[in-house]
């Protein structure tokens, strides 16, 4: 991180440079007291110009007015051009470069043109006055044009910085909107899971009520299912509340945006892989370990992770890319790994920018306290790996016939 030192609210380096410039003008004015017309009075005029130049960046127009007024005093006193008159050129440069309006710089240029004529008339020499005026005009015009070029470049850089800041704000707003939309989608799907669990509890509770006298054993089994399903539903509800807590007011506007409003489970993974195979991906899938009974919300997360990873592979790796989909079940977690070789046929048109696939996956995985790793492979292609910890007491769903 770069630390910028300031003095009186201005960059320290700029203040030091302006002090050095003013010091040079003061030095020139001191020489006027010894061997130039005006003596110490002329030195006072030069010192006044030097003090004014200290504010040339913050108040360029006012500084130009002060320097021009002091130069007029010099002309009226008929001291002729003196070395400290370089302050006039510095003030002209400053008002063109730092002035809020270019009109001030143009007006200062016109005043400087009049000053060139007056200075040429009072300059002692053997040549014609118009030749001296031409020389002064060339120097003054060059300073004005250089200042205009620097001003144009400075404004261009400022516009680029402002545009970059605006784009950064827009990207942050898009990311926040994508997060809110994905959270709403997750919340809607978890809502379906909770609603399904509640339906199971109602059916089992009704069955237990009628079976208490006829078959107590079956009634106890039904009550056990109600308890297990209730605990699972309560856990899903806790996650649902956690998702909605930061969803923001924009969530309600996207509730009905997705027509796909149904529960998805691991049993539908083969159909999902088949659709992507039909789309042109060469998918090799494998599953290791004994698959435990997963909560419906966790199954949905696994399904969506695979779906999003395959979508990204089709979009970026291209048709014909080889993709390995591995589902690993361990004692305490489910690990999903999707790796493509990146060697498919390039798309006819490039993928549209601004996607939020990884952002959405990260939000889903975070709901279940999981971890996501995504990145390019050294040999080419892309890898997505998600680890989802299993709940301590997985729920068992039993739906009464």
């Amino acid at each position: 991180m770069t630390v910028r030192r300031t003095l009186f609210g201005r960059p320290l380096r700029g203040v030091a440079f302006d002090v050095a410039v003013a010091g040079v003008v003061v030095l020139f004015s001191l020489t006027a007291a010894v061997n130039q017309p005006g003596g110490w009075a002329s030195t006072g005029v030069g010192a006044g110009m030097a003090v004014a130049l200290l504010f040339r960046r913050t108040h360029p127009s006012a500084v130009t007015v002060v320097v021009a007024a002091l130069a007029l005093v010099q002309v009226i006193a008929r001291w002729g051009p003196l070395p400290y008159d370089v302050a006039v050129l510095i003030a002209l440069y400053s008002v063109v470069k730092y002035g809020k309006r270019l009109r001030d710089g143009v007006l200062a240029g016109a005043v400087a043109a009049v000053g060139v004529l007056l200075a040429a008339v009072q300059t002692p020499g053997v040549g014609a006055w118009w030749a001296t005026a031409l020389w002064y005009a060339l120097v003054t015009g060059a300073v004005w044009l250089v200042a205009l070029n620097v001003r144009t470049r400075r404004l261009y850089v400022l516009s680029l910085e402002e545009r970059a800041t605006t784009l950064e704000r827009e990207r942050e707003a898009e990311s926040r909107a994508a997060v809110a939309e994905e959270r709403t989608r997750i919340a809607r799907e978890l809502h379906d899971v909770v609603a399904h669990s509640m339906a199971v509890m109602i059916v089992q509770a009704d069955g237990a009520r009628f079976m208490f006298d006829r078959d107590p054993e079956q009634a106890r089994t039904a009550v056990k299912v109600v308890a297990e399903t209730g605990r699972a539903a309560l856990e899903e509800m806790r996650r649902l509340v956690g998702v909605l807590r930061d969803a923001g007011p924009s969530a309600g506007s996207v509730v009905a945006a997705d027509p796909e409003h149904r529960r998805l489970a691991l049993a539908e993974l083969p159909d999902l892989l088949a659709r992507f195979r039909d789309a042109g991906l060469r998918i090799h899938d494998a599953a290791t370990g004994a698959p435990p009974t997963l909560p419906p919300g966790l199954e949905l997360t696994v399904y969506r992770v695979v779906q999003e990873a395959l979508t990204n592979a089709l979009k970026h790796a291209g048709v014909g890319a080889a993709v390995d989909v591995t589902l690993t079940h361990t004692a305490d977690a489910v690990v999903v790994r999707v790796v493509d070789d990146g060697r498919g046929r390039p798309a006819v048109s490039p993928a549209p920018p601004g996607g939020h696939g990884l952002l959405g996956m990260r939000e889903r995985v975070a709901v279940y306290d999981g971890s996501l790793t995504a990145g390019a492979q050294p040999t080419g292609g892309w890898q997505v790996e998600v680890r989802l910890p299993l709940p301590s007491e997985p729920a068992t769903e039993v739906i009464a016939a």
Side-chain angles (χ1 to χ4, degrees):
M1 181 178 64
T2 303
V3 178
R4 297 186 62 183
R5 298 181 178 178
T6 59
L7 183 64
F8 304 115
R10 295 170 54 189
L12 183 59
R13 186 167 62 177
V15 173
F17 182 79
D18 291 343
V19 171
V21 170
V24 171
V25 175
V26 169
L27 181 62
F28 286 160
S29 65
L30 290 176
T31 61
V34 179
N35 53 10
Q36 295 291 338
W40 286 105
S42 176
T43 300
V45 171
M49 291 183 178
V51 172
L53 290 180
L54 293 174
F55 307 94
R56 67 187 188 91
R57 298 177 191 263
T58 56
H59 303 86
S61 299
V63 168
T64 303
V65 171
V66 172
V67 171
L70 293 175
L72 180 61
V73 171
Q74 178 183 339
V75 171
I76 294 175
R78 304 186 65 84
W79 294 334
L82 296 174
Y84 61 71
D85 285 333
V86 69
V88 176
L89 298 179
I90 297 174
L92 178 63
Y93 175 90
S94 301
V95 73
V96 176
K97 179 180 178 181
Y98 299 111
K100 294 182 179 180
R101 298 167 296 183
L102 184 59
R103 184 182 63 184
D104 295 345
V106 174
L107 182 60
V111 174
V114 176
V116 163
L117 295 177
L118 295 176
V121 171
Q122 293 187 359
T123 300
V126 295
W129 71 270
W130 57 266
T132 305
L134 179 61
W135 165 248
Y136 287 163
L138 289 176
V139 174
T140 304
V143 170
W144 196 93
L145 290 176
V146 169
L148 179 63
N149 181 64
V150 175
R151 173 191 178 91
T152 303
R153 181 174 180 82
R154 173 173 171 266
L155 294 179
Y156 176 70
V157 171
L158 290 177
S159 67
L160 290 181
E161 293 177 351
E162 183 178 358
R163 186 180 306 173
T165 303
T166 302
L167 291 176
E168 184 65 24
R169 286 197 298 264
E170 290 177 354
R171 280 195 295 267
E172 291 178 357
E174 290 178 358
S175 297
R176 287 195 297 268
V179 169
E181 181 178 354
E182 191 63 28
R183 285 175 175 173
T184 302
R185 180 186 178 94
I186 297 170
R188 184 173 63 247
E189 292 172 343
L190 290 179
H191 172 272
D192 291 345
V193 171
V194 173
H196 172 74
S197 299
M198 297 298 293
V200 172
M201 293 170 63
I202 292 172
V203 171
Q204 294 294 334
D206 287 341
R209 184 180 60 177
F210 288 107
M211 296 300 295
F212 270 135
D213 297 329
R214 300 179 183 179
D215 192 345
E217 186 63 29
Q218 186 174 353
R220 279 193 292 270
T221 302
V223 172
K224 180 181 178 182
V225 171
V226 170
E228 292 177 350
T229 307
R231 281 192 291 269
L234 183 61
E235 180 65 17
E236 296 297 339
M237 182 64 72
R238 183 187 65 81
R239 299 182 188 278
L240 173 61
V241 172
V243 170
L244 292 179
R245 183 169 296 159
D246 300 323
S250 62
S253 62
V254 294
V255 167
D258 188 4
E260 185 178 4
H261 193 67
R262 61 189 180 89
R263 289 186 60 224
L264 297 170
L266 293 183
E268 300 189 44
L269 271 181
D271 294 336
L272 177 68
L273 299 180
R275 288 198 298 271
F276 278 98
R277 287 190 179 101
D278 294 338
L281 291 179
R282 295 183 290 116
I283 299 176
H284 174 265
D285 62 290
T288 60
T293 302
L294 301 179
L298 193 58
E299 285 194 29
L300 176 63
T301 300
V302 173
Y303 182 94
R304 289 300 190 192
V305 166
V306 174
Q307 183 184 43
E308 188 62 47
L310 291 178
T311 300
N312 289 341
L314 183 62
K315 182 188 300 183
H316 300 289
V319 176
V323 183
D324 291 331
V325 179
T326 306
L327 189 62
T328 304
H329 299 279
T330 65
D332 58 351
V334 178
V335 180
V336 181
R337 189 168 183 265
V338 180
V339 183
D340 67 79
D341 61 359
R343 299 176 183 174
R345 296 195 301 273
V348 177
S349 59
H356 299 282
L358 287 177
L359 184 62
M361 277 194 285
R362 199 175 301 280
E363 286 292 323
R364 289 181 178 276
V365 171
V367 170
Y368 287 92
D369 301 324
S371 62
L372 181 145
T373 304
Q377 293 285 86
T379 57
W382 191 267
Q383 171 182 313
V384 174
E385 183 172 329
V386 170
R387 185 182 186 278
L388 296 167
L390 298 179
S392 58
E393 294 184 359
T396 302
E397 285 192 10
V398 178
I399 301 177

